[in-house]
Amino acid sequence: RREFAQAILETAGIALPVQGCSSAQFPMKAQRPRYSVLSNDKLQQVTGCVMPHWRDALKLYMQRRQG
């Protein structure tokens, strides 16, 4: 999560550090699994669409938002 927040700021040209915290330091009501990566394999199998890497998608989103 810290990496994603930092990438958003960097892509926007904002030079601020992002400090991470552990899940224990940021309690949530819902229980979250320790490792939960979403797979897009089914999307690719059914539609043939390949999702871009999240960094590439973020850059594209920010470009469209600014332009």
Side-chain angles (χ1 to χ4, degrees), residues 6-60:
Q6 188 68 54
I8 292 169
L9 293 175
E10 288 171 2
T11 304
I14 300 170
L16 288 174
V18 176
Q19 183 176 2
C21 67
S22 69
S23 295
Q25 293 172 305
F26 193 75
M28 304 280 286
K29 290 183 180 183
Q31 293 265 336
R32 302 284 185 230
R34 287 176 127 351
Y35 183 74
S36 59
V37 175
L38 296 175
S39 171
N40 59 15
D41 292 342
K42 185 76 170 182
L43 173 71
Q44 187 173 350
Q45 289 172 3
V46 172
T47 67
C49 293
V50 178
M51 290 183 66
H53 187 274
W54 67 267
R55 285 190 179 270
D56 297 329
L58 175 61
K59 288 177 189 172
L60 181 61

